[in-house]
């Protein structure tokens, strides 16, 4: 199955080998089937209807014209949609009441024989509203701001040590700055889609879902549709990306199940791209107030990072953007805090490295400003402030090789230190650096390993491969634990009937599923060692469940670290900024598959490049929705935006993680990238930009004005 | 999308007759914008009259050295044509800076001229838009309008024309050939083809109902004239212009014999900079002279709350393009 | 069927009766809104009776069970639906099938040789790990075939240097050229650097402009 695996010394080096993706052939031949591509007999199609007011109530839904169209099987509305059971996530309580909490909220669902008919029916549904005044604009001083108990991830919203204000006031060198990161959208290439098939005869529900984990989808559907979990099967063999936006069930899957139960036929619902900005989550906008106080030698004495963000009217989600400041640098007096206000906006959610991504943009930009104020090499400033223990908790790090990443990166990149920027005609060229960090999370998982009499092995774990290479790396972990050739191991994932596994999110997948796979395979190895003679026809099996081990509190602070180096050019004619080079060095434990790991790290850096230069969503104050709702308006980077990117890593041995010694790598690639690029733009242009992205309008306006680097940055 | 009838025309007459027979129909050529708009519900024709197989796919030589580009010539083929690359490099450059390889393979010359604005309010049926629904209002004027017009807009509409090709054609003084049914034809200068919005933003162009673009005529290129198209955008590729400039420069002993300057991304039509052209004609294209001329043109700009950046952007693009062309054309006295 | 503003009444979990639904087509008379279309897809002829609204992408995915071409945006803004139409790459989401009568279509399923041997670009994509989630990959591959053909035919690109713009002969595919020519195919996983390497390598193989479907056809 994997072309080069037979050439590997599988018994000793399979873990850490650059094994090609197991599903590579399926993906390049078009044979890989995604959620909307399940051709079940009599399949129908559904198309949802979004609300066109930002706040208010539905007062009537006229479905007559829609129902009169050919092929229409039904239109569900808040008046007649089936009542749902409870769920923790109010965004899934669809068509349950008349309230419209934000523009784009679904208010009806059309179901028809064909895609064209379903769409036409949705267009023909007439909804009237009682609109109320809305407010979608986040700003400092918003009267609705409050400090929540927790930010996303369960982190306390507010932490304070010492007297950061006094320490800041007393600091000889100060940086007091404000940054702004706009709303961002995940926009995985595969729109959220589900094919749901309710078999009324057997009472079984089968759902093919584009999601990051089918165990949780099954559990949520069981609650909403009041079915026992063993009567639901959720499948996700292939998923076209998620980046957090498919981490929990989203509206599409609930509506697809409603539809199949309504019409008694399999139903596919694939979200139109234009709907996605409103219904599958976004990275909330964040305003950052960062104050750094330092001694003349660069040693931080005070650090405050205060984050202001929004959430929706229906669910509190607080982007934990001040949390990385609790990990990065030792400042004895510090405060990290979050404030949030509920606006009439779509519900924000996870987007690749929530918290770290915007938080480290702000913190690492501020560190660059401090280096400027000190006249110090920003690499050296970070080395100077490396922390021996985790600043917030005082716990020792299980491993922390930030300094090594910075040094190695500087060497590989040819870091110019504080050399002046270069010019090439109208182009200004500069370089920038920023650090990265991402926590090590781990979640309980189960796995089953099975030895067959023919010498092959089957490993079952409900992992999901959203493009990470999970299927491949889990087979490596299994082959390693079993001590058998990789080709003899097959791995079954993406099916809720398999031993339960957590979502592919939070960079936890490999560690969580892999630990269970490792344990199951180790147990099977023991069983096989004790077995004499040929295997029984049914083979031998062993299972594992890591609930105990994964939930054990570690005495260590466990994080991955990294350093980004960027070279950019800014065009003084147009204000266009392009990245010329991007290089990252990461310390993320044992890299189990360099080929797929490099792809993930580079991919994260590309998304960070987009955040720095091209990606932004704006909430339209008048209409209350995101102005950028398609891929022509929301600029994810195109091929031509992306230069050759290098991702390297430190060979890190950390015994305090999991049996594989791995840290997650799905997210750290994006953390800090935008800061490195922004810092490079500052070095190139002599202007400090504090609002992302660095689009031509902003850059040109600054270039046409006076230099701003020194002014306002340092106190 | 609403159901529609489909008629494939084999002659212009047939197409015009079919149009007359199906009120509210639309001609289909490449469809890259029309199908997009039909999916959004912006266009809901009762019938599509397919003119994509009409014999309008030739790029023919005209007496005197011009070219006649059939309306069905695909954007990629027009950009790659050796004669276009040789004589009208700005046209190739403009085409190649627009859309993507696969879109250019399908989009036609005629269709490109007729593509509609990408204004987000125009594209959203749930919002007011005077272009889509006259009298409903303009959502963009007080809304999100960083991409919108700074020149020639009206109270009713601040949309921009999105075509790169049209900007180059405007600088080239190209003409549009139109077939009006019953054997009638007429010719309109590209610079007159697109309208300013005024009180009728629903009319993008001066095309009349039922008319078909049959060709675009490129006048002969002046020997020694040089040309350039330059575009600024948020993404390095596959993005509409924030602003763009098409310049055709003909120097005579270091002085401007003739200059054609057109801006894209600034207005409801390609903006031919006649004020700047008049100032530059006969002058030596020194940087200060060029800048003053371009600024005189852009003095007419009326930026909105969030798009004032387009004025210096357009100025810089024009100044740089003219300087680059002047440099390539020989020493400036 | 207009509803009053009363709060929704509880309903049985099974949904229930959608109510009487008149099924008279409106506007266009039935029959007028459908057409017979003949396509040759990956070398095989298909005679289809389709709603005029069906795009080529939906015809492939929903009617021919060829789900290789992907729907990423449905508006020509992402390239995931790219296929070859009469040998040229095109966004299948913006093409109405009814207008393609008689056309030759090649999808990602038609790239490999009839014996299953992978196309040079497919091999190269695997070798360079030029994808992650795989959703944009069929479009990237078809686009790359088309781009290599365009380059071989001497088509310039936006980054083709000014002196080369007027040159004839095959285009030289530098990394910058490949990036520009493939910019109509978005990849959110960020596999671009690997895609460029994969196309550069496969592009040196003269067989890369030929597809399995060409062999059949």
């Amino acid at each position: 199955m994997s072309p080069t695996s037979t050439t590997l010394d599988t018994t000793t080096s399979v873990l850490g080998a650059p094994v090609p993706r197991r599903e590579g052939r399926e993906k390049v031949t078009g044979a890989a089937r995604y959620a909307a591509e399940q051709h079940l007999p009599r399949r129908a199609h559904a198309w949802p209807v979004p609300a066109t007011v930002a706040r208010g109530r539905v007062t009537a839904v006229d479905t007559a014209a829609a129902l009169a169209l050919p092929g229409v099987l039904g239109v569900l509305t808040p008046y007649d949609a089936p009542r749902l059971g409870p769920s923790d996530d109010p965004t899934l309580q669809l068509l349950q009441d008349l309230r419209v909490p934000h523009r784009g909220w679904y208010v009806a669902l059309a179901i028809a024989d064909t895609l064209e008919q379903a769409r036409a029916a949705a267009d023909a549904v007439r909804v009237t509203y009682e609109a109320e005044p809305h407010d979608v604009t986040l700003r400092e001083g918003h009267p609705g701001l409050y400090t929540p108990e927790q930010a996303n991830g369960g982190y306390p919203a507010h932490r304070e040590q010492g007297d950061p204000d006094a320490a800041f006031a007393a600091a000889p060198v100060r940086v007091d700055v404000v940054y702004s990161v706009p709303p961002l959208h995940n926009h995985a290439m595969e729109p959220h889609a589900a094919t749901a098939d309710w078999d009324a005869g057997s009472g079984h529900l089968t759902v093919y879902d584009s999601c990051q984990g089918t165990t949780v989808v099954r559990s949520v559907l069981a609650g909403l549709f009041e079915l026992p979990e063993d009567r639901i099967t959720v499948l996700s063999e292939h998923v076209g990306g998620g980046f957090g936006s498919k981490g929990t069930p989203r509206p599409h899957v609930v509506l697809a199940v409603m539809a199949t139960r309504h019409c008694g036929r399999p139903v596919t619902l694939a979200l139109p791209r234009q709907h996605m900005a409103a219904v599958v989550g976004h990275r909330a906008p964040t305003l950052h107030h960062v104050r750094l106080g330092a001694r003349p030698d660069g040693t931080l004495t005070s650090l405050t990072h205060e984050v202001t963000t929004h959430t929706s009217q229906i669910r509190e989600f607080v982007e934990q953007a001040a949390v990385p400041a609790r990990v990065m640098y030792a400042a004895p007096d510090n405060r990290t805090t979050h404030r949030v206000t509920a606006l009439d906006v779509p519900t924000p959610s996870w987007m690749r490295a929530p918290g770290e991504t915007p938080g480290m943009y702000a913190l690492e930009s501020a560190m660059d400003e401090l280096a400027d104020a000190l006249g110090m090499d920003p690499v050296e400033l970070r080395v100077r402030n490396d922390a021996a223990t985790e600043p917030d908790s005082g716990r020792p790090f299980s491993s922390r090789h930030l300094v090594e990443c910075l040094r190695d990166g500087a060497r590989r990149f040819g870091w110019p230190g504080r050399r002046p920027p270069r010019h090439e005609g109208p182009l200004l060229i500069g370089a920038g650096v920023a650090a990265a960090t991402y926590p090590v999370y781990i979640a309980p998982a189960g796995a089953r390993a099975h030895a067959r009499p023919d010498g092959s092995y089957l490993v079952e774990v409900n992992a999901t491969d959203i493009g990470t290479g999970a299927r491949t790396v889990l087979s490596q972990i299994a082959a390693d634990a079993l001590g058998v050739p990789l080709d003899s191991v097959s791995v079954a994932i993406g099916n809720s009937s398999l031993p339960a596994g957590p979502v592919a999110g939070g960079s936890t997948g490999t560690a969580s599923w892999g630990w269970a796979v490792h344990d199951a395979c180790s147990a099977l190895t023991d069983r096989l060692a004790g077995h004499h003679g040929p295997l029984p026809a049914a083979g031998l099996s062993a299972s594992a469940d890591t609930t105990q081990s994964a939930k054990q509190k570690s005495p260590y602070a466990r994080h991955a670290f990294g350093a980004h180096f960027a070279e950019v050019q800014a065009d003084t004619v147009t204000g266009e900024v392009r990245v010329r080079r991007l290089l990252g060095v990461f310390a993320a434990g044992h890299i189990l598959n360099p080929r797929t790991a490099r792809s993930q790290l580079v991919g994260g850096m590309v998304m960070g490049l987009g955040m720095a230069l091209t990606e932004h969503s704006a909430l339209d104050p008048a209409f209350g929705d995101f102005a950028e709702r398609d891929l022509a308006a929301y600029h994810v980077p195109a091929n031509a935006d992306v230069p050759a990117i290098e991702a390297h890593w430190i060979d890190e041995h950390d015994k305090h993680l999991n049996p594989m010694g791995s840290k997650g790598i799905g997210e750290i690639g994006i953390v800090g990238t935008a800061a490195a690029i922004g810092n490079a733009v500052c070095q190139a242009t002599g202007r400090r930009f504090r609002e992302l992205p660095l689009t031509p309008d902003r850059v040109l306006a600054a270039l046409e004005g006076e230099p701003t680097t020194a002014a306002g940055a340092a106190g | 999308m609403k159901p529609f009838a489909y008629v494939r025309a084999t002659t212009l007459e047939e197409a015009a007759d079919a149009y007359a027979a199906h009120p509210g129909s639309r001609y289909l050529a490449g469809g890259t914008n029309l199908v997009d708009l039909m999916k959004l519900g912006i266009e809901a024709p009762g019938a599509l009259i397919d003119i994509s197989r009409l014999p309008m796919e030739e790029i023919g030589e005209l007496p005197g050295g011009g070219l006649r580009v059939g309306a069905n010539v695909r954007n990629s083929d027009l950009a790659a044509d050796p004669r276009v690359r040789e004589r009208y490099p700005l046209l190739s450059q403009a085409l190649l800076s627009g859309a993507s390889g696969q879109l250019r393979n399908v989009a036609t010359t005629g269709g490109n001229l007729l593509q509609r604005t990408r204004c987000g309010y125009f594209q959203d049926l749930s919002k007011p838009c005077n272009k889509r629904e006259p009298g409903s209002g303009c959502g963009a004027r007080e809304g999100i309008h960083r991409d919108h017009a700074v020149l020639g807009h009206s109270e009713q509409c601040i949309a921009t024309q999105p075509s790169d090709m049209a900007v180059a054609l405007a600088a080239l003084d190209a003409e549009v050939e139109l077939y009006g049914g019953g054997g009638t034809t007429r010719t309109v200068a590209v610079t007159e083809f697109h309208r300013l919005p005024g009180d009728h933003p629903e009319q993008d162009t001066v095309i009349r109902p039922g008319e078909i673009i049959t060709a675009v005529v490129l006048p002969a290129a002046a020997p020694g004239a040089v040309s350039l198209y330059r575009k600024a955008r948020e993404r390095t590729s596959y993005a509409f212009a924030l602003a763009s400039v098409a310049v055709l420069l003909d120097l005579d002993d270091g002085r401007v014999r003739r200059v054609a300057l057109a801006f894209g991304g600034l207005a409801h039509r390609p903006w031919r900079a006649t004020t700047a052209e008049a100032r530059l004609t006969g002058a030596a294209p020194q940087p200060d002279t060029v800048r003053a001329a371009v600024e005189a043109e852009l003095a007419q700009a009326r930026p909105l709350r969030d798009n004032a950046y387009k004025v210096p952007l357009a100025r810089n693009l024009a100044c740089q393009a003219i300087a680059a062309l002047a440099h390539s054309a020989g020493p400036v006295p | 069927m207009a509803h009053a503003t009363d709060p929704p009444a509880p309903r049985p979990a099974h949904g229930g009766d959608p109510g009487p639904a008149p099924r008279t087509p409106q506007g266009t008379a039935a029959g007028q809104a459908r057409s017979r279309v003949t396509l040759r897809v990956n070398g095989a002829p298909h005679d289809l009776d389709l709603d005029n609204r069906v795009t080529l992408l939906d015809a492939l995915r929903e009617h021919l069970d060829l789900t290789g071409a992907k729907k990423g945006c449905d508006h020509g803004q992402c390239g995931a639906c790219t296929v070859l139409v009469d040998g040229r790459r095109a966004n299948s989401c913006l093409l109405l099938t009814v207008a393609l009568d008689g056309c030759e279509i090649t999808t990602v399923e038609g790239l490999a040789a009839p014996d299953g041997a992978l196309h040079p670009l497919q091999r190269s994509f695997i070798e360079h790990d030029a994808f992650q989630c795989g959703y944009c990959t069929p479009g990237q591959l078809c686009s790359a075939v088309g781009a290599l053909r365009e380059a071989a035919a001497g088509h310039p690109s936006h980054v083709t240097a000014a002196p080369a713009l007027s040159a004839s002969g095959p285009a030289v595919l530098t990394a910058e050229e490949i990036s520009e020519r493939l910019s109509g195919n978005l990849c959110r996983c960020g596999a671009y650097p690997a895609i460029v390497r994969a196309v550069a390598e496969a592009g040196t193989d003269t067989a890369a402009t030929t597809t399995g479907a060409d062999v059949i056809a």
Side-chain angles (χ1 to χ4, degrees):
Chain A
M1 202 180 282
S2 38
T4 67
S5 60
T6 49
T7 64
L8 299 169
D9 176 359
T10 51
T11 52
T12 58
S13 66
V14 67
L15 212 52
V19 176
R21 275 167 214 279
R22 291 210 141 193
E23 67 285 0
R25 188 184 170 95
E26 288 91 325
K27 284 183 174 172
V28 300
T29 57
R33 294 232 175 206
Y34 296 74
E37 298 167 354
Q38 311 296 329
H39 282 204
L40 306 177
R42 299 177 65 241
R43 184 173 63 141
H45 294 264
W47 197 285
V49 179
T52 57
V53 298
R55 182 188 172 106
R57 277 167 58 87
V58 172
T59 54
V61 182
D62 183 353
T63 60
L67 290 169
L69 292 172
V72 176
L73 301 169
V75 177
L76 300 177
T77 75
Y79 298 96
D80 58 14
R83 298 301 97 191
L84 295 170
S87 67
D88 292 338
D89 182 353
T91 67
L92 301 181
Q93 293 292 330
L94 295 149
L95 311 181
Q96 299 300 293
D97 59 43
L98 301 172
R99 183 179 171 209
V100 176
H102 62 79
R103 196 176 181 113
W105 173 257
Y106 286 137
V107 292
L109 179 72
I111 311 159
D113 286 334
T114 71
L115 199 50
E116 293 77 21
Q117 291 165 342
R119 177 175 209 156
D123 290 347
V125 173
R126 290 290 160 260
V127 184
T128 48
Y129 305 91
E130 185 178 277
E132 298 164 15
H134 63 264
D135 177 7
V136 297
T137 306
L138 175 68
R139 59 180 202 277
E140 286 294 354
H142 191 284
L145 285 168
Y146 64 95
T147 301
E149 268 187 40
Q150 290 187 334
N152 177 51
Y155 294 97
H158 184 88
R159 294 286 291 167
E160 192 161 332
Q161 293 174 326
D163 187 344
D165 298 325
F168 179 77
V173 184
R174 295 190 295 268
V175 165
D176 184 346
V177 281
V178 171
Y179 301 95
S180 167
V181 179
L184 298 169
H185 282 98
N186 312 60
H187 278 314
M189 292 312 299
E190 183 200 17
H192 294 61
T195 298
D197 184 12
W198 169 243
D199 184 336
S202 67
H204 197 90
L205 176 66
T206 304
V207 182
Y208 301 85
D209 189 27
S210 178
C211 66
Q212 292 175 224
T214 55
T215 299
V216 63
V217 173
R218 180 180 64 175
S219 156
V220 171
L221 291 179
L224 287 170
F225 292 93
E226 291 168 339
L227 288 169
E229 288 199 8
D230 62 8
R231 284 170 56 198
I232 303 176
T233 306
V234 185
L235 302 149
S236 63
E237 184 77 6
H238 299 288
V239 179
F243 314 108
S245 73
K246 298 173 183 172
T248 53
R250 300 293 149 116
H252 68 282
V253 68
V254 178
L255 294 176
V257 174
M258 272 190 190
T260 185
R261 284 167 59 103
H262 177 78
C263 70
R265 290 165 56 174
V267 176
T268 291
L269 194 168
L271 292 188
R273 179 67 61 180
Q274 285 82 352
H275 290 192
M276 287 170 61
V279 296
V280 297
H282 62 275
R283 191 194 298 288
T286 43
L287 308 172
H288 304 255
H289 186 185
V290 182
R291 291 187 299 172
L292 301 176
R295 299 197 195 104
D297 70 355
T299 308
L300 287 169
T301 55
S302 170
L303 184 161
T304 64
H305 190 164
E306 297 166 349
V307 171
T308 303
T309 186
H310 79 201
T311 190
S312 72
Q313 298 288 6
I314 52 177
R315 195 179 78 196
E316 184 188 81
F317 179 94
V318 183
E319 180 93 9
Q320 72 272 34
V323 167
R326 299 172 186 171
V327 175
M328 283 304 295
Y329 302 114
D333 296 274
N334 60 69
R335 176 167 59 242
T336 48
T337 195
H338 304 79
R339 287 184 311 152
V340 66
T341 180
L343 301 176
D344 305 309
V345 296
T347 302
S349 183
W350 301 328
M351 178 166 166
R352 205 170 199 166
E356 277 75 20
T357 298
M360 287 292 279
Y361 162 69
L363 181 61
E364 289 300 290
S365 299
M367 286 295 280
D368 204 61
E369 301 211 41
L370 180 61
D372 277 350
L374 290 158
M376 194 172 174
D377 182 336
V379 169
E380 298 307 321
L381 176 64
R382 289 173 173 87
V383 172
R384 170 67 49 87
N385 287 289
D386 194 35
T389 57
E390 188 179 51
D392 185 60
S393 69
R395 287 183 298 173
F397 288 103
S398 65
S399 56
R400 174 173 168 128
H401 292 101
L402 172 60
V403 170
E404 288 79 359
C405 290
L406 287 161
R407 296 280 187 226
D408 190 47
R411 178 183 63 78
R412 289 175 183 273
F413 184 78
W415 173 244
R418 292 192 57 75
R419 274 214 314 266
R422 292 187 287 130
H423 293 237
E424 277 180 21
L427 304 178
L428 305 174
I429 296 152
V433 62
T437 187
Y438 194 80
V440 171
Y441 299 114
I442 195 140
R448 195 160 49 227
H450 184 71
R452 300 189 186 104
D454 66 359
S456 69
Y457 300 85
L458 170 65
V459 174
E460 299 173 296
V461 55
N462 193 20
T464 313
D465 195 331
I466 58 171
T468 56
R471 195 180 272 106
T472 309
V473 77
L474 291 174
S475 70
Q476 292 174 262
I477 293 168
D480 179 68
L482 290 165
V484 301
L486 187 59
D487 283 355
S488 68
V489 178
S490 53
V491 173
I493 62 169
N495 184 330
S496 64
S497 309
L498 299 169
V503 297
S507 296
T508 63
T510 301
S512 306
W513 309 316
W515 194 337
V517 166
H518 172 274
D519 286 3
C521 290
S522 299
L524 180 61
T525 305
D526 290 347
R527 274 200 78 183
L528 288 169
H531 181 85
H532 300 288
L535 292 186
L540 281 182
S541 294
S543 293
D545 182 328
T546 62
T547 303
Q548 292 304 318
S549 38
K551 280 193 168 164
Q552 248 173 21
K553 274 247 182 266
S554 173
Y556 296 96
R558 301 185 295 186
H559 305 269
F561 290 92
H564 294 277
F565 293 82
E567 182 180 271
V568 304
Q569 64 180 48
D571 189 330
T572 53
V573 173
T574 61
E576 292 168 307
V577 175
R578 304 292 182 239
V579 175
R580 293 184 154 203
R581 289 196 292 147
L582 206 51
L583 184 149
V585 180
F586 303 94
H590 186 200
I591 298 299
L592 305 180
N593 183 330
R595 179 189 298 250
T596 51
R598 180 168 284 110
S599 290
Q600 278 209 80
L601 293 167
V602 167
M605 294 164 77
V606 170
M607 203 176 275
L609 184 157
M611 173 186 176
L613 300 184
T614 61
E615 292 182 39
H616 59 89
S617 286
L619 280 156
D620 186 327
F623 297 96
D625 58 350
F626 287 112
E628 296 81 3
R629 292 180 305 280
D630 63 23
L631 293 175
Y634 188 91
H635 288 152
V636 313
N639 199 319
D641 291 300
V642 179
I645 293 181
E646 292 181 44
H648 303 277
W649 46 83
I650 305 279
D651 194 18
E652 191 173 60
H653 300 277
D654 185 334
K655 296 191 183 313
H656 309 297
L657 300 169
N658 58 54
M660 297 79 67
S662 63
K663 297 175 179 174
I665 50 169
E667 290 167 274
I668 192 164
I670 193 178
V671 180
T673 315
I677 292 168
N679 294 340
V681 172
C682 178
Q683 206 239 349
T685 63
R687 273 78 167 173
R688 178 65 68 176
F689 297 90
R690 300 190 181 93
E691 187 176 6
L692 290 181
L694 305 179
T695 43
D697 54 338
R698 291 194 176 120
V699 175
L700 187 64
L703 290 173
E704 297 274 321
E706 293 300 305
T708 59
T709 311
Chain B
M1 205 190 290
K2 290 192 172 140
F4 55 86
Y6 172 83
V7 181
R8 183 176 300 134
T10 55
T11 64
L12 280 170
E13 292 77 9
E14 236 178 74
D17 289 350
Y19 186 93
H22 293 85
S25 59
R26 286 277 183 269
Y27 295 120
L28 174 72
T32 51
N33 190 208
L34 179 60
V35 175
D36 169 31
L37 293 170
M38 287 167 67
K39 290 182 182 185
L40 293 172
I42 314 297
E43 291 281 358
L48 283 186
I49 297 151
D50 187 350
I51 57 168
S52 67
R53 302 192 188 203
L54 297 188
M56 305 190 291
E57 292 184 324
E58 295 289 310
I59 303 176
E61 291 278 356
L62 293 173
L67 290 177
R68 183 178 180 280
V69 180
N72 280 343
V73 172
R74 309 286 160 159
N75 288 174
S76 52
D77 294 329
L78 183 56
D81 188 278
R83 295 162 294 182
V84 174
R85 289 158 72 177
E86 185 70 38
R87 301 177 205 171
Y88 315 102
L90 83 170
L91 179 55
S92 267
Q93 291 160 356
L95 286 158
L96 294 170
S97 74
S100 67
Q102 43 271 63
L103 285 165
R104 294 192 295 269
N105 273 342
V106 175
T108 64
T109 307
N112 188 321
L113 281 172
L114 291 172
Q115 67 175 304
R116 313 216 58 193
T117 184
R118 266 39 175 215
C119 171
Y121 300 89
F122 171 74
Q123 292 185 322
D124 186 345
L125 281 180
S126 72
K127 294 185 183 143
C129 170
N130 290 321
K131 179 180 283 299
R132 196 184 62 242
E133 196 182 334
S136 62
C138 172
R141 178 163 275 282
E142 300 303 325
I144 308 287
H145 56 227
R146 279 187 336 137
D147 297 340
H148 286 69
V150 293
L151 284 164
H153 51 73
S154 70
E155 272 306 308
Q156 280 71 31
C157 184
I158 59 171
T160 56
Q161 215 288 328
S163 168
D164 291 294
M165 181 192 78
V167 183
L169 293 180
L172 285 167
D173 286 312
E175 293 183 319
V176 185
E177 281 186 13
L178 296 158
Y179 173 81
T184 62
T185 60
R186 64 177 180 131
T187 300
V188 178
V190 166
T191 50
E192 301 299 319
F193 184 72
H194 295 96
R195 296 178 64 261
L196 290 181
D199 290 335
H200 289 284
E202 72 279 10
Q203 293 169 19
D204 290 354
T205 69
V206 298
I207 201 164
R208 295 168 189 151
E211 275 187 324
I212 298 170
I213 298 178
T214 52
V216 169
V217 173
L218 303 173
V226 286
S227 72
L228 183 67
Y229 185 79
R230 176 92 202 273
K231 169 179 180 178
R233 42 185 160 174
E234 274 192 8
R235 198 155 61 179
T236 309
S237 186
Y238 203 16
F240 291 99
L242 298 171
S244 68
V245 63
V247 186
L248 188 73
L249 185 66
D250 186 7
L251 291 186
D252 177 20
D253 197 21
R255 292 189 175 273
V256 174
R257 178 187 292 132
R258 188 169 169 275
V259 62
L261 171 63
F263 289 111
L266 303 189
H268 198 258
R269 70 179 187 203
W271 189 267
R272 188 66 186 264
T274 50
T275 303
E277 290 174 10
R279 287 206 175 203
L280 285 169
T281 304
Q286 299 286 0
D288 289 353
T289 313
V290 173
R291 185 176 170 120
V294 172
E295 284 182 340
E297 182 73 40
L298 294 169
Q300 307 166 60
R302 288 175 292 139
L304 306 157
R305 184 191 66 233
D306 291 329
N307 70 357
Y309 73 96
K310 286 196 172 189
V311 178
L313 176 57
R315 180 200 64 209
N316 291 358
L317 281 168
C319 291
Q320 190 205 34
I322 293 170
L325 289 174
H327 180 75
S328 71
V332 174
Chain C
M1 283 272 298
H3 299 278
T5 54
D6 302 332
R11 302 259 326 207
H14 285 258
D17 178 19
R23 297 293 167 88
T24 332
Q26 297 186 338
T28 311
Q32 251 191 306
R34 296 184 72 84
S35 302
R36 291 199 77 83
V37 186
T38 302
L39 297 177
R40 204 172 169 84
V41 183
N42 299 329
H46 292 277
D47 200 10
L48 298 164
D49 174 25
L50 291 177
D51 186 320
N52 290 342
R53 294 173 292 184
V54 176
T55 61
L56 174 60
L57 178 61
D58 289 330
L60 293 169
R61 288 169 62 84
E62 306 297 332
H63 297 267
L64 297 175
D65 198 21
L66 290 169
T67 57
K70 300 297 183 222
K71 186 178 284 187
C73 72
D74 214 17
H75 285 267
Q77 300 164 352
C78 80
C81 66
T82 304
V83 299
L84 300 165
V85 178
D86 291 338
R88 293 158 61 114
R89 55 180 171 157
N91 302 91
S92 62
C93 73
L94 293 179
L95 292 169
L96 292 170
T97 316
V98 63
L100 299 175
D101 191 47
C103 287
E104 294 265 357
I105 313 296
T106 305
T107 70
V108 71
E109 290 95 337
L111 295 187
D115 67 358
L118 294 181
H119 184 274
L121 279 161
Q122 292 174 315
R123 285 202 305 272
S124 193
F125 265 56
I126 292 175
E127 182 56 35
H128 290 273
D129 204 37
F131 54 89
Q132 293 182 51
C133 79
Y135 201 75
C136 74
T137 310
Q140 301 277 1
L141 286 162
C142 289
S143 186
V145 173
L148 291 176
R149 287 177 177 173
E150 290 159 14
H155 281 215
S157 85
H158 170 65
V159 299
T160 304
L165 186 59
S166 56
S168 56
V172 179
L173 286 182
T174 60
E176 190 188 18
E177 283 280 0
I178 294 170
S179 277
E180 164 59 25
R181 289 167 190 261
L182 290 182
S183 276
N185 294 85
L186 301 180
C187 169
R188 193 54 160 158
C189 296
Y192 298 129
I195 290 168
V196 171
R197 284 194 295 273
V199 174
E201 185 181 288
T204 63
D205 186 340
T206 49
T209 54
T210 308
T211 69
D214 298 331
V215 178
I216 298 169

